[in-house]
Amino acid sequence: KSRPIEAIWDLYSGAGNFAFPLAEAFPGAVVSAVELHAGSVALGEASAQSRGLSDRTRFFEAKAEEWTSEAQ
């Protein structure tokens, strides 16, 4: 029996081109989108809000390498 997916990481996410389809495909999961470029993070957050996915798609402005070492 497989466990449900609860967390997905989208590293180098940009504005969420993969994060949003992942959030829609896995409704029980929270997608953490990690991107260094502040403008892309802002666009991603605005898009998450307009899509009604801000509760399950979270954007982080950070270096992916640093964020993953802290998230584990």
Side-chain angles (χ1 to χ4, degrees), residues 9-25:
W9 294 356
D10 180 9
L11 306 178
Y12 310 101
S13 67
N17 291 341
F18 292 107
F20 298 123
L22 287 167
E24 291 167 350

Side-chain angles (χ1 to χ4, degrees), residues 11-71:
L11 306 178
Y12 310 101
S13 67
N17 291 341
F18 292 107
F20 298 123
L22 287 167
E24 291 167 350
F26 299 93
V30 173
V31 179
S32 296
V34 183
E35 171 59 43
L36 184 58
H37 186 263
S40 294
V41 171
L43 286 172
E45 289 172 337
S47 188
Q49 184 71 28
S50 69
R51 294 171 186 242
L53 293 172
S54 58
D55 61 328
R56 295 188 304 105
T57 308
R58 300 191 180 123
F59 281 80
F60 298 90
E61 182 183 338
K63 288 184 177 181
E65 300 83 0
E66 293 173 4
W67 186 88
T68 56
S69 67
E70 293 175 17

